[in-house]
Amino acid sequence: MNEKDPLDEKMFNPVTGGRASEDIALQIEASILNGRLAPGERLPSERDMQVQFGTGRGVIREAIKTLKQKGLLEVRKGVKGGAYVRQLEVSNVSESLALFLKQQPVEAESLIEFRESMDRTITILAVQRGTPEQKEELVSETEKFASLLGCADPDFHEVGELDRKLNVMLARMAGNNLFEWVMSALQMGFSSNDYALYEAPAFREQAATNWKNTARAIAQGETMKALSFVSNHYILLRNCVEGIKEREGLESVPFLTE
C-alpha cells in the first residue's frame, strides 16, 4: 500500500506576502493539532509543499525549522528522510513545564496553596479509584520513606527521590493522566518546599509519620481521615516556612530549589 500523501486531500492553502513562512508553519501546526497529520507521519517533500503553498524552498525550510524548534517536527536523514510529526512523550511535556516553573518567581505560599488544593482532589480520587495493589504499594513505600528519615544521618537525595515517587504514585492512583503529568512536572521543578520540611529536625518525624498515616487512610478507604492528614502536611510545611522567614528575617520566601 502506498503511503498517504497529506496533500492529496488539499490540506494546505497557498500563502502570500511577507509572512509566508509563519503562515505555512501555522497551517502545518493546525493539521498536527487537529489530527489530520498523525504522530510519526511524514510531511510531503519540499518540492510537493512548494507546489501546494505556492512558495520557494527557502520559505518551506524556515517553516519546518520553526516547527522543529517548537518540538512538533523532527527531521530525519537517509533514504526515508524528511520532516516527520514528532511523537511527544509525557516526559518531554513534564520537562518543559518543569523548566518553565523553575524560571518563574513563585512565592512559597502560592505554591503550597496550589499543591494543597491539588493533593486534596487527588486524594479523594485515589481512595475511589486506586486498586488494592496500588494502595498496598503506597503504604509500603511510605513506610520505607519513614525509615529513611528515621536514620541518624538521612540521605536527603534518596529521601527526595522517594518523596517524588510517592507523589507521582498518588497522582497516578487518581486515574486521570492530567494529574500525573502536572505532578511529574511539579516534582521535577520543585517539590513545594517539601525537602526543607524533611531536612528540618523539628518537623522531620512528624512529616514522615503523616505520610504513612495518609497512605493508610487511603488504603482503608477513609477519605475524610486521609484529607485531614493532607491538611496536616501543609500545616507543618507552612510552619516550617514561617520558621525560615523568622530565622532569616525575610518578609516572604520564594520557592526553594534543591
Side-chain angles (χ1 to χ4, degrees), residues 88-125:
L88 293 178
E89 302 294 337
V90 172
S91 59
N92 300 133
V93 178
S94 293
E95 286 173 6
S96 296
L97 180 54
L99 179 60
F100 172 78
L101 291 172
K102 282 184 176 182
Q103 293 176 335
Q104 307 309 307
V106 180
E107 293 294 332
E109 176 55 35
S110 296
L111 181 56
I112 291 171
E113 181 179 74
F114 175 76
R115 272 297 311 277
E116 182 175 8
S117 62
M118 180 175 170
D119 282 359
R120 290 181 66 84
T121 301
I122 287 173
T123 297
I124 293 170
L125 294 175

Coordinates of all heavy atoms in Angstrom, one line a residue, residues 88-125:
L88 N 5.2 13.2 20.9 CA 5.6 13.8 22.1 C 5.4 12.8 23.3 O 4.3 12.2 23.4 CB 4.7 15.1 22.4 CG 5.0 16.2 21.4 CD1 4.0 17.4 21.8 CD2 6.4 16.7 21.5
E89 N 6.4 12.7 24.1 CA 6.3 11.8 25.3 C 5.9 12.7 26.5 O 6.1 13.8 26.5 CB 7.6 11.1 25.5 CG 8.1 10.3 24.3 CD 7.3 9.1 24.1 OE1 6.6 8.6 25.0 OE2 7.3 8.6 22.9
V90 N 5.3 12.0 27.5 CA 4.9 12.7 28.7 C 6.1 13.3 29.3 O 6.0 14.4 29.9 CB 4.2 11.7 29.7 CG1 4.0 12.3 31.0 CG2 2.9 11.2 29.1
S91 N 7.2 12.6 29.3 CA 8.5 13.1 29.9 C 8.9 14.4 29.3 O 9.4 15.4 30.0 CB 9.6 12.1 29.9 OG 9.9 11.8 28.5
N92 N 8.7 14.6 28.0 CA 9.1 15.8 27.3 C 8.2 17.0 27.8 O 8.7 18.1 28.0 CB 8.9 15.7 25.8 CG 9.8 14.6 25.2 OD1 9.3 13.8 24.4 ND2 11.1 14.6 25.6
V93 N 6.9 16.7 27.9 CA 6.0 17.7 28.3 C 6.3 18.1 29.8 O 6.3 19.3 30.1 CB 4.5 17.2 28.2 CG1 3.6 18.3 28.7 CG2 4.2 16.9 26.8
S94 N 6.5 17.1 30.6 CA 6.8 17.4 32.0 C 8.1 18.2 32.2 O 8.2 19.1 33.0 CB 6.9 16.1 32.8 OG 5.6 15.5 32.9
E95 N 9.1 17.8 31.4 CA 10.4 18.5 31.5 C 10.3 20.0 31.1 O 10.8 20.9 31.7 CB 11.4 17.8 30.6 CG 11.9 16.5 31.2 CD 12.8 15.8 30.2 OE1 13.1 16.3 29.1 OE2 13.2 14.6 30.5
S96 N 9.5 20.2 30.0 CA 9.3 21.6 29.6 C 8.5 22.4 30.6 O 8.9 23.6 30.9 CB 8.5 21.6 28.2 OG 9.3 21.0 27.2
L97 N 7.5 21.8 31.2 CA 6.7 22.5 32.2 C 7.6 22.8 33.4 O 7.5 23.8 34.1 CB 5.5 21.7 32.6 CG 4.5 22.4 33.6 CD1 4.1 23.8 33.2 CD2 3.3 21.5 33.8
A98 N 8.4 21.8 33.8 CA 9.3 21.9 35.0 C 10.2 23.1 34.8 O 10.5 23.9 35.7 CB 10.0 20.6 35.2
L99 N 10.8 23.2 33.6 CA 11.8 24.3 33.3 C 11.0 25.6 33.4 O 11.6 26.6 33.9 CB 12.4 24.1 31.9 CG 13.4 25.1 31.4 CD1 14.5 25.2 32.4 CD2 13.8 24.8 30.0
F100 N 9.8 25.7 32.8 CA 9.1 26.9 32.9 C 8.8 27.3 34.4 O 9.0 28.5 34.7 CB 7.7 26.7 32.2 CG 6.8 27.9 32.3 CD1 7.0 29.1 31.6 CD2 5.7 27.8 33.2 CE1 6.1 30.1 31.7 CE2 4.9 28.9 33.4 CZ 5.0 30.0 32.6
L101 N 8.4 26.3 35.2 CA 8.1 26.6 36.6 C 9.4 27.1 37.3 O 9.3 28.0 38.1 CB 7.6 25.4 37.3 CG 6.2 24.9 36.8 CD1 5.8 23.6 37.4 CD2 5.1 26.0 37.2
K102 N 10.5 26.6 37.0 CA 11.7 27.0 37.7 C 12.1 28.4 37.3 O 12.8 29.1 38.1 CB 12.9 26.0 37.2 CG 12.9 24.7 37.9 CD 14.1 23.9 37.5 CE 14.2 22.6 38.3 NZ 15.4 21.8 37.9
Q103 N 11.7 28.9 36.2 CA 12.1 30.2 35.7 C 11.1 31.3 36.3 O 11.4 32.5 36.1 CB 12.1 30.3 34.2 CG 13.2 29.4 33.6 CD 13.2 29.4 32.1 OE1 12.2 29.6 31.5 NE2 14.4 29.2 31.5
Q104 N 10.0 30.9 36.9 CA 9.0 31.8 37.4 C 9.2 32.2 38.8 O 9.5 31.3 39.6 CB 7.6 31.3 37.1 CG 7.3 30.8 35.7 CD 7.7 31.8 34.7 OE1 7.3 33.0 34.7 NE2 8.5 31.4 33.7
P105 N 9.1 33.4 39.2 CA 9.2 33.8 40.6 C 7.9 33.5 41.4 O 7.0 34.2 41.4 CB 9.4 35.4 40.5 CG 8.7 35.7 39.3 CD 8.8 34.6 38.3
V106 N 7.9 32.3 42.0 CA 6.7 31.8 42.7 C 7.0 31.9 44.2 O 8.0 31.3 44.7 CB 6.4 30.3 42.3 CG1 5.2 29.8 43.0 CG2 6.2 30.2 40.8
E107 N 6.1 32.5 44.9 CA 6.2 32.6 46.4 C 5.9 31.2 47.0 O 5.0 30.5 46.4 CB 5.3 33.7 46.9 CG 5.7 35.1 46.6 CD 7.0 35.5 47.2 OE1 7.3 35.0 48.3 OE2 7.7 36.4 46.6
A108 N 6.5 30.9 48.1 CA 6.2 29.6 48.7 C 4.8 29.4 49.0 O 4.2 28.3 48.8 CB 7.1 29.5 50.0
E109 N 4.1 30.4 49.5 CA 2.7 30.3 49.9 C 1.8 30.0 48.7 O 0.9 29.2 48.8 CB 2.2 31.5 50.6 CG 0.7 31.5 51.0 CD 0.3 30.3 51.8 OE1 1.1 29.8 52.6 OE2 -0.8 29.8 51.6
S110 N 2.1 30.6 47.6 CA 1.3 30.4 46.4 C 1.5 28.9 45.9 O 0.5 28.3 45.5 CB 1.8 31.3 45.2 OG 1.5 32.6 45.6
L111 N 2.7 28.4 46.0 CA 2.9 27.0 45.6 C 2.3 26.1 46.5 O 1.7 25.1 46.1 CB 4.4 26.8 45.5 CG 4.9 25.4 45.1 CD1 4.3 25.0 43.7 CD2 6.4 25.4 45.0
I112 N 2.4 26.3 47.8 CA 1.8 25.5 48.9 C 0.3 25.5 48.7 O -0.4 24.4 48.7 CB 2.1 26.0 50.3 CG1 3.6 25.7 50.5 CG2 1.3 25.3 51.3 CD1 4.2 26.4 51.8
E113 N -0.3 26.6 48.4 CA -1.8 26.7 48.2 C -2.2 25.9 47.1 O -3.2 25.1 47.1 CB -2.2 28.2 48.0 CG -3.7 28.4 47.8 CD -3.9 29.9 47.7 OE1 -3.6 30.4 46.6 OE2 -4.5 30.5 48.6
F114 N -1.5 26.0 46.0 CA -1.8 25.2 44.8 C -1.7 23.7 45.0 O -2.6 22.9 44.7 CB -0.9 25.6 43.6 CG -1.1 24.8 42.3 CD1 -2.3 25.0 41.5 CD2 -0.2 23.8 42.0 CE1 -2.5 24.2 40.4 CE2 -0.4 23.0 40.9 CZ -1.6 23.2 40.1
R115 N -0.6 23.3 45.6 CA -0.3 21.9 45.9 C -1.4 21.3 46.8 O -1.8 20.2 46.6 CB 1.1 21.7 46.4 CG 2.2 21.5 45.4 CD 2.0 20.2 44.5 NE 1.7 19.1 45.4 CZ 2.7 18.3 45.9 NH1 4.0 18.6 45.8 NH2 2.4 17.3 46.6
E116 N -1.7 22.1 47.8 CA -2.7 21.5 48.8 C -4.1 21.3 48.1 O -4.7 20.2 48.3 CB -2.9 22.5 50.0 CG -3.8 21.9 51.0 CD -3.9 22.8 52.3 OE1 -3.4 23.9 52.3 OE2 -4.6 22.4 53.3
S117 N -4.5 22.2 47.3 CA -5.8 22.0 46.6 C -5.7 20.9 45.7 O -6.7 20.1 45.5 CB -6.2 23.3 45.9 OG -5.3 23.7 44.9
M118 N -4.6 20.7 45.0 CA -4.4 19.6 44.0 C -4.4 18.3 44.8 O -5.0 17.3 44.4 CB -3.2 19.9 43.2 CG -2.9 18.8 42.2 SD -1.4 19.2 41.2 CE -1.1 17.7 40.3
D119 N -3.6 18.2 45.9 CA -3.5 17.0 46.6 C -4.8 16.5 47.2 O -5.1 15.3 47.3 CB -2.5 17.2 47.7 CG -1.0 17.1 47.2 OD1 -0.8 16.9 46.0 OD2 -0.1 17.3 48.0
R120 N -5.6 17.5 47.6 CA -6.9 17.1 48.2 C -7.8 16.4 47.1 O -8.5 15.4 47.4 CB -7.6 18.3 48.8 CG -7.0 18.9 50.0 CD -7.7 20.1 50.6 NE -9.1 19.7 51.1 CZ -9.3 19.2 52.3 NH1 -8.3 19.0 53.1 NH2 -10.6 18.9 52.6
T121 N -7.8 16.9 45.9 CA -8.6 16.3 44.9 C -8.0 15.0 44.5 O -8.8 14.0 44.3 CB -8.6 17.2 43.6 OG1 -9.1 18.5 43.9 CG2 -9.4 16.6 42.5
I122 N -6.7 14.9 44.4 CA -6.0 13.6 44.1 C -6.3 12.6 45.1 O -6.6 11.4 44.8 CB -4.5 13.8 43.9 CG1 -4.2 14.6 42.6 CG2 -3.8 12.5 44.0 CD1 -2.7 15.0 42.5
T123 N -6.3 13.0 46.4 CA -6.5 12.0 47.5 C -8.0 11.4 47.4 O -8.2 10.2 47.6 CB -6.3 12.7 48.8 OG1 -4.9 13.1 48.9 CG2 -6.6 11.8 50.0
I124 N -8.9 12.3 47.2 CA -10.3 11.8 47.0 C -10.4 10.8 45.9 O -11.1 9.7 46.1 CB -11.3 13.0 46.8 CG1 -11.3 13.9 48.0 CG2 -12.7 12.5 46.4 CD1 -12.1 15.2 47.8
L125 N -9.9 11.1 44.8 CA -9.9 10.2 43.6 C -9.1 8.9 43.9 O -9.5 7.8 43.4 CB -9.4 10.9 42.4 CG -10.3 12.1 41.9 CD1 -9.6 12.8 40.7 CD2 -11.7 11.6 41.5

